[in-house]
């Protein structure tokens, strides 16, 4: 099996397939994603989320913000299982979604844990990390507010955000308050989309 042109082991494929079936089952009673996108679950959600790990395939300690239905947090945690190292702390304040995430991690054997807390207080519980991810959560300016505590603790922190075609305006707005390095990775899924890789984040004084 290949995802975004990269080969995936049989074990990882089986974990991803189990997650997808579990996701479909839960989505009938818990609004994890819009029903209209279910027919594109593999391409629109799984493959799009897999780009995060594929851009940084080392056994890092991740924090995934607003994990929702597990994209990209659970997908990253599944890939890390193959490495036998690394970890994903998934932050999701909605209790129903957090319950799904716990079961998804348990049944797939993925390397992660769920924290049912607000993002604003997460840094009090999860002190450090190597990388942060978020998908369809907020504009860059607010995302930077969220990750700033971890950036202060780790000057080598990197963040990876899936963004759509309007990302340029978000980047320009964020430059008003923040100093940061940016690498734009073209999406393998949608022509106008990107994954933004952020490093050296500093609040302008």
């Amino acid at each position: 099996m290949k995802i975004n042109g990269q080969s995936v082991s049989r074990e990882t494929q089986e974990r991803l397939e189990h997650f997808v079936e579990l996701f479909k089952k839960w989505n009938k009673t818990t609004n994890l994603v819009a029903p209209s996108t279910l027919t594109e679950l593999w391409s629109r959600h799984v493959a799009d989320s897999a780009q995060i790990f594929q851009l940084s395939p080392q056994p890092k300690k991740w924090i995934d913000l607003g994990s929702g239905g597990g994209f990209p947090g659970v997908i990253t945690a599944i890939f890390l299982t193959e490495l036998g190292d690394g970890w994903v702390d998934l932050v999701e304040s909605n209790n129903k979604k957090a319950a799904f995430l716990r079961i998804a991690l348990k049944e797939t054997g993925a390397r992660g844990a769920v924290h049912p807390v607000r993002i604003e207080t997460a840094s009090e519980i999860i002190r450090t990390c190597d990388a942060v991810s978020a998908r369809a959560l907020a504009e860059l300016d607010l995302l930077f507010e969220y990750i700033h505590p971890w950036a202060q603790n780790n000057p080598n922190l990197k963040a990876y955000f899936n963004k759509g075609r309007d990302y340029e305006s978000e980047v320009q707005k964020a430059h008003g308050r923040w100093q940061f390095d940016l690498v734009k990775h073209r999406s393998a899924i949608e022509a106008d989309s990107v994954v933004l890789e952020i490093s050296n984040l500093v609040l302008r004084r």
Side-chain angles (χ1 to χ4, degrees), residues 1 25 58 80 94 96 117 162-163 176 192 195:
M1 178 185 187
K25 178 181 176 182
Q58 300 83 25
L80 287 174
N94 181 291
K96 286 186 177 180
V117 299
N162 302 72
K163 285 292 178 181
D192 295 334
V195 176

Side-chain angles (χ1 to χ4, degrees), residues 71-169:
F71 304 116
V74 172
I75 306 303
T76 300
I78 286 173
F79 276 101
L80 287 174
T81 303
E82 188 171 332
L83 299 182
D85 199 357
W87 192 259
V88 184
D89 285 303
L90 297 93
V91 179
E92 175 52 60
S93 62
N94 181 291
N95 286 325
K96 286 186 177 180
K97 292 178 180 179
F100 163 73
L101 293 170
R102 285 194 196 94
I103 289 176
L105 291 173
K106 181 179 179 181
E107 292 198 10
T108 60
R111 297 183 62 83
V114 182
H115 303 270
V117 299
R118 291 182 60 81
I119 293 171
E120 294 86 346
T121 63
S123 62
E124 300 170 12
I125 300 167
I126 313 162
R127 297 291 185 180
T128 61
C129 66
D130 303 312
V132 182
S133 60
R135 181 174 180 265
L137 179 62
E139 286 195 359
L140 274 182
D141 187 57
L142 182 53
L143 288 171
F144 288 171
E145 280 190 31
Y146 289 156
I147 72 172
H148 189 232
W150 294 298
Q152 287 181 301
N153 287 336
N154 179 7
N156 297 315
L157 179 79
K158 289 192 175 183
Y160 297 85
F161 302 131
N162 302 72
K163 285 292 178 181
R165 64 185 64 186
D166 297 326
Y167 70 92
E168 288 285 10
S169 61

Side-chain angles (χ1 to χ4, degrees), residues 3-71:
I3 296 180
N4 303 327
Q6 296 188 26
S7 295
V8 173
S9 72
R10 180 181 294 275
E11 292 78 12
T12 295
Q13 178 181 342
E14 289 174 352
R15 289 188 178 99
L16 291 172
E17 288 174 347
H18 185 74
F19 170 74
V20 166
E21 291 308 310
L22 193 64
F23 184 94
K24 290 177 180 177
K25 178 181 176 182
W26 272 71
N27 201 58
K28 293 176 182 177
T29 56
T30 305
N31 186 27
L32 299 173
V33 296
S36 60
T37 68
L38 276 177
T39 56
E40 304 171 284
L41 194 57
W42 275 96
S43 62
R44 187 162 179 176
H45 297 294
V46 176
D48 188 38
S49 296
Q51 293 183 99
I52 300 297
F53 175 81
Q54 290 171 335
L55 287 171
S56 184
Q58 300 83 25
K60 294 181 176 180
K61 177 175 170 56
W62 288 84
I63 294 176
D64 185 56
L65 301 178
S67 298
F71 304 116

